[in-house]
Amino acid sequence: ALLLLLDDRRGGAAGQGAAGETGPAAAIAAAGKKRPRVHVVIEIGNTSERMAGSKLRMMTYVKAVEIKYSGMKKPSGNAPPLHRSSILKRVEFNINPSYSKPTLTLLKPNNQRFGYTLERALAFRFPCFATVYLDEKKTGRKLPPAKIEYWTRFEPHRQRVVFSFAYSPRARGRSSSSSPSSQRRQRRGMKEVVFDAEIGDGWVLYDSEDEDEADGDARKMEDGPRVRYNRIPRHRPEQKHVSEMGKEDRTMS
């Protein structure tokens, strides 16, 4: 099911706090009133540099920029706080979405400033879908990957997606006893979450915020992961989604 979050600038927005505050901070604070959660803020975007001729050098990047906690100050017990430098386990870039095989798979950042990156020099907007995996040893649970369907822009661009999940302190640090081949089969078997980056910033919710999980393990995901956006998508007939455009419509004039 797709949950849509009303634009924070409009009255009655779901991201509005009790004191009238709006935006991601207020939404996180509101979520924290229900149960302890972790919010991993992922930034995705691209750089843009004009080259000789009509091409642009565009580097698409993914990185974790912040980790917030709601309902707690920091992880309790002996578990150390989560770190943005190690929360991501794997990022797969795909510039040919019709093929299931990724164009590039990274198990660690390849750029000190931008994190996980893929660079191409082209004269048109192209898809650079990024499938992001969180490290289950850090989160304490195996969460399905999230595929962010990102299309490059001619100008430098960045936006944010918040990965939100219930915190499971007792499961932190557990290592999987399965073999590498078994882990690969499990990874392929997990249904990915799809986030349309053309709509804008938003959230990936790995469990319902009002679900009763008194046992603290936060393992049940009966409804599956869900997506919500910070504004309602408005695609008028004359404004095609970028995926519906021909190459000539995506070429820099």
Side-chain angles (χ1 to χ4, degrees):
L2 183 68
L3 301 183
L4 299 180
L5 194 66
L6 292 177
D7 193 319
D8 289 342
R9 295 171 295 181
R10 300 176 59 186
Q16 185 169 354
E21 298 179 353
T22 60
I28 289 174
K33 295 178 181 179
K34 296 183 178 181
R35 63 176 178 176
R37 298 183 68 85
V38 175
H39 310 282
V40 181
V41 183
I42 302 295
E43 184 172 288
I44 185 169
N46 70 269
T47 62
S48 180
E49 178 185 354
R50 186 175 292 274
M51 303 176 63
S54 60
K55 291 185 177 180
L56 291 173
R57 179 183 290 112
M58 293 176 279
M59 181 176 68
T60 305
Y61 65 88
V62 171
K63 60 181 177 177
V65 295
E66 190 173 9
I67 296 180
K68 291 180 174 289
Y69 306 101
S70 58
M72 58 179 175
K73 292 183 179 179
K74 63 179 182 179
S76 58
N78 296 324
L82 302 173
H83 293 288
R84 62 183 183 181
S85 61
S86 60
I87 192 66
L88 301 186
K89 180 180 181 179
R90 176 190 188 98
V91 175
E92 298 173 349
F93 290 104
N94 193 347
I95 63 172
N96 296 299
S98 58
Y99 293 92
S100 59
K101 184 178 180 180
T103 306
L104 176 66
T105 297
L106 296 171
L107 302 181
K108 60 182 179 179
N110 60 347
N111 186 289
Q112 185 174 3
R113 178 183 176 186
F114 291 101
Y116 299 80
T117 68
L118 181 145
E119 183 178 296
R120 288 292 187 273
L122 297 168
F124 52 89
R125 293 185 64 187
F126 61 92
C128 193
F129 293 3
T131 303
V132 180
Y133 296 77
L134 298 181
D135 191 340
E136 65 268 17
K137 291 184 179 179
K138 305 298 190 303
T139 62
R141 55 194 294 195
K142 291 183 178 179
L143 299 170
K147 181 170 70 175
I148 304 175
E149 296 188 340
Y150 182 82
W151 290 73
T152 57
R153 270 75 161 177
F154 296 138
E155 300 296 330
H157 176 81
R158 64 179 181 178
Q159 62 188 92
R160 293 186 172 185
V161 184
V162 181
F163 288 36
S164 178
F165 56 91
Y167 180 62
S168 178
R170 288 183 294 179
R172 279 287 308 280
R174 293 178 184 172
S175 60
S176 174
S177 59
S178 58
S179 65
S181 59
S182 176
Q183 293 178 26
R184 286 194 294 271
R185 287 195 298 270
Q186 291 175 4
R187 187 165 58 242
R188 287 195 296 267
M190 288 191 295
K191 185 177 181 181
E192 63 189 11
V193 194
V194 178
F195 185 94
D196 185 358
E198 282 296 295
I199 298 177
D201 298 337
W203 296 65
V204 174
L205 298 173
Y206 281 104
D207 31 52
S208 173
E209 293 184 7
D210 57 3
E211 187 180 9
D212 181 17
E213 292 183 344
D215 63 355
D217 273 344
R219 294 175 181 275
K220 295 178 63 177
M221 291 185 291
E222 295 178 355
D223 296 331
R226 293 181 284 178
V227 170
R228 68 185 186 186
Y229 300 98
N230 287 358
R231 63 182 177 88
I232 297 176
R234 300 182 179 88
H235 296 310
R236 296 194 297 271
E238 65 272 18
Q239 293 181 333
K240 292 183 179 179
H241 189 278
V242 63
S243 62
E244 301 173 332
M245 296 179 182
K247 184 177 177 180
E248 64 280 0
D249 296 323
R250 294 184 281 112
T251 299
M252 183 173 57
S253 57

